[in-house]
Each structure stands twice: as structure tokens, then as C-alpha cells.
Amino acid sequence: MRRSSPAPPAAGGAPVPGVTRIAVLRANFLGDLVLTLPALEALRAAYPDAEVTYLGAPWHPGLLEGRPGPWDRVVVVPPWPGVRDEPGADRGSLAVRRFLAEQRAEGYDLALQLHGGGGNSNPLVAALGARVTAGARDTGAPPLDRWLPYAHDQHEVLRCLDVVGLVGAAPVTLEPRLALTPGDAAAAAAVLPAGPAPLVVLHAGAQDPRRRWPPGCFAALADALTDAGARVVLVGSGDDDRRAADAIRAASSAPLLDLVGALSLPALAGVLARCRLVVANDSGPRHLAAAVGTATVGVFLERNLLNAGPLTRARHRVAVSARTDCPVCGTDQRVTRCGHDRSLVAGVSLETVRAAALDLLEDDGPAVSGPVQQPGRRAAR
């Protein structure tokens, strides 16, 4: 039988000899970066002397440059359809042509696609001109030199580890970890109150509005946490998070510290690390909190828990909604997006989240509260 494309290679690909420069594409959101960290650690361990360039979105340099980690440089990808969808995104734009010329001149030995199923991202990685390319491939996506099928029912941490495994990079950790810097700690100290009360962060936002627990529930939780002796802090960014925070403050009787819109990403990392606990929807700040060592309670849709939930439960708890039908029109959201943005997690009970939060609040450690030093690691340039 003829094949329309080459078969995927066996799991556990051979290391590529003579590697001095590696490019990794992952140009989406904060949570996606965090879930990629174990794969980047595996790459660094497999190719300790190679220069790793992280190809990301405009916000990535602000968080990653100067921070110890398994990357050396951060380069922003120009608007590219399906990778960075912005007005005017065009594979043939002047910005794209300049970017590709500059990146080809780098002479990459490896280029890895960790940005989805490859329909749009594989052509971008192939255009970098690396000796060897590798990535996942969904149905209809073009193959790279080494590839594996894109599995929709796989956790993102494991998917990324599978991809770097194609070039001989074995896992060294499963739990994402992000090092803190003195700047993170200083930024947190500038906005957080002193005193013995444990700090608890609430983040009521999420990229998908269907994953947002109602502000009224967060408000009731804030009151319960305050009654238990905690100081509650609100974080977030953007108009949706601002509206949610305002609704929480209006419904809560607790003296909330509102930092929504006031924190850079490094400052957010510092704030999350200083806190005893973070309660959030399935969102970037929840992932970041876990990566800097803070206990979390996450409100998840069941299908998102499979792909992006915490892998352990000692310090990370989840409250899960199995709802898949739109509360407005009844459309099964597993099949199609109906256009309504009504929450699918509103039915998660306050008692479930409150019990998990109060349980973790009693555990006084070991949240990270200062800069993490990682000897032997280079800071991104």
C-alpha cells in the first residue's frame, strides 16, 4: 500500500551529532510556556553545550531574558497565520522574510516545533533551514524530518517531552519549574504587605471565558479565607480580569489587596512565590504559581484537566466540571464552538474549592519565597 507521507519514527529517536545551535518554537500563552519547561530541561541535559534559542511571542522576552533557565536567547516570531494570529499576519510579509533570513543565518542544527499540531507551525519550523527538524503532526499537517502523531488526549507536558525525545532528549523532570530572580523578589516586596498573615492569591480570569468560575464564588471564597486568617490578593491583567476583580470586591466583605493590572510578569512570579496558596481557574497564573513552588487549587473543565492539569496532588488540588453542553443553547462543546461564552464551570461547588483551599492553607511550606539559584545555568541574553 502506498503511503501519502513517511511513517513516524519509533519512539526515542537517536541524538543528533554535532549540535551547537537549537531553535524551539512555542509562541503562545503563559500556561503553554510553563508546560514546555520540562521538555526544555530535557533538551539542555541532552545537549548541554548547545545554544538554545526560544522562538516566542512578544511577551516572552520580558519574562525569560536574564532569567536562569534552559534557554540562551529569546527571539520574537513575527505574525504568522496559525502561530501568531494578528491583523495582517501573512507568511509572505516583509517581517516574515526578514525573520526567516536572520534565522537561517544562525545555522541551526536542530529546530523543534512544540506549538500544536503542525498545520501552521511545521512550515515555519521547516523554513528555518535547520539540519534536522522535529515536531508533532496532526492529520493533514506537513511532516518534519522526525515527527510523531499529534494526540489530542495527551497531557501537554508529556506531548512536549515526546517531541524532544525524537532527538534523543530523555526526561529529567516532569514538574515544570521556573527559577526566580532577585528582581522578582524585589518587585513582590514592593507591593505586598508585611506581617504574619499568610497570603492567598485569587485569579478569576482565563483565556477561554467558558473556563471562568463566577466572581461571586471567588468573593465568597475570599471571605472564608479571610475568616481563616489569610490576607487575600487579587491578580490578573486585561479588561476581563478587571471586571471580574471589581465584581469580587463588590460582593466580598474582606479587605482585598487588588493588584490586577499592576504587575509585570516577573513581578507576578515574585508575588505568586511569596504566597502560601493560589486559587485560580485553568489559567497561566495558576501554572506559573505551581512552577515557582506555590500550592494551588485549580477550577478545571474535565477535558482541560487531561491536557493541562497538575500532575501531582500533594500541593495541587483540582475542582472539576464535566459539563460539555452550552448553558444557553445546549450545543455539545466537544463537537463545535457555538459562539456563546457562558461558563461551563459555574456548577463547581464553593464547598469543594473552599475545602481544598483551607486544607492547603494549613500547610505552611515549602513555598518558594526567595530567588532560586541554579548553578551552571546560563541566563538568557
Side-chain angles (χ1 to χ4, degrees):
M1 177 182 295
R2 293 183 59 191
R3 296 181 185 270
S4 59
S5 60
V16 177
V19 171
T20 61
R21 293 192 174 187
I22 301 173
V24 178
L25 174 66
R26 180 82 158 178
N28 34 19
F29 302 111
L30 177 59
D32 301 298
L33 165 68
V34 172
L35 294 171
T36 307
L37 293 174
L40 296 176
E41 294 281 1
L43 269 179
R44 172 63 78 209
Y47 300 97
D49 298 322
E51 180 185 70
V52 176
T53 298
Y54 188 97
L55 303 179
W59 65 267
H60 281 102
L63 180 64
L64 298 183
E65 286 183 342
R67 183 178 304 276
W71 53 81
D72 299 290
R73 297 191 308 150
V74 182
V75 174
V76 176
V77 176
W80 176 286
V83 175
R84 279 195 57 212
D85 282 317
E86 297 182 7
D90 184 345
R91 293 187 186 185
S93 70
L94 178 60
V96 166
R97 295 199 303 271
R98 286 176 174 170
F99 169 80
L100 290 178
E102 291 169 356
Q103 294 307 298
R104 290 184 188 119
E106 293 291 336
Y108 292 122
D109 301 293
L110 290 180
L112 293 112
Q113 186 277 106
L114 300 180
H115 191 110
N120 296 292
S121 50
N122 282 359
L124 175 53
V125 167
L128 298 174
R131 282 200 291 125
V132 177
T133 59
R137 180 190 182 217
D138 206 348
T139 303
L144 296 172
D145 296 326
R146 301 185 185 186
W147 63 276
L148 49 76
Y150 183 87
H152 292 264
D153 59 351
Q154 185 177 26
H155 198 284
E156 280 293 316
V157 166
L158 304 180
R159 186 196 324 280
C160 292
L161 284 169
D162 267 353
V163 170
V164 299
L166 293 171
V167 295
V172 295
T173 182
L174 292 178
E175 294 283 357
R177 287 290 179 261
L178 187 74
L180 294 171
T181 70
D184 301 338
V191 296
L192 292 177
L199 299 173
V200 177
V201 158
L202 303 184
H203 178 241
Q207 194 70 31
D208 186 340
R210 298 172 300 172
R211 302 201 308 257
R212 297 174 191 160
W213 204 41
C217 294
F218 275 105
L221 178 64
D223 292 341
L225 291 167
T226 301
D227 290 343
R231 181 69 191 273
V232 176
V233 182
L234 304 179
V235 302
S237 62
D239 293 342
D240 288 337
D241 287 3
R242 178 73 271 158
R243 285 189 287 269
D246 289 344
I248 293 170
R249 292 170 58 198
S252 172
S253 59
L256 306 178
L257 175 59
D258 188 345
L259 297 180
V260 174
L263 301 174
S264 66
L265 279 174
L268 176 62
V271 165
L272 296 175
R274 277 277 305 276
C275 292
R276 178 81 57 83
L277 172 67
V278 171
V279 182
N281 299 312
D282 172 18
S283 66
R286 195 218 67 82
H287 290 291
L288 182 60
V292 298
T294 300
T296 70
V297 177
V299 178
F300 279 86
L301 277 172
E302 188 175 59
R303 65 178 185 270
N304 295 119
L305 180 65
L306 170 66
N307 295 114
L311 295 173
T312 59
R313 293 293 181 271
R315 303 190 70 241
H316 304 293
R317 311 292 171 78
V318 295
V320 184
S321 171
R323 184 165 193 170
T324 60
D325 61 303
C326 172
V328 177
C329 66
T331 298
D332 188 344
Q333 303 294 286
R334 295 170 300 179
V335 177
T336 185
R337 179 74 180 265
C338 63
H340 298 120
D341 286 335
R342 191 73 62 83
S343 173
L344 298 180
V345 298
V348 170
S349 74
L350 171 63
E351 179 52 40
T352 298
V353 179
R354 179 170 54 199
L358 293 176
D359 184 40
L360 288 172
L361 187 62
E362 294 178 358
D363 179 6
D364 59 1
V368 177
S369 58
V372 175
Q373 302 299 327
Q374 295 192 355
R377 289 293 173 87
R378 293 168 287 183
R381 295 202 303 264

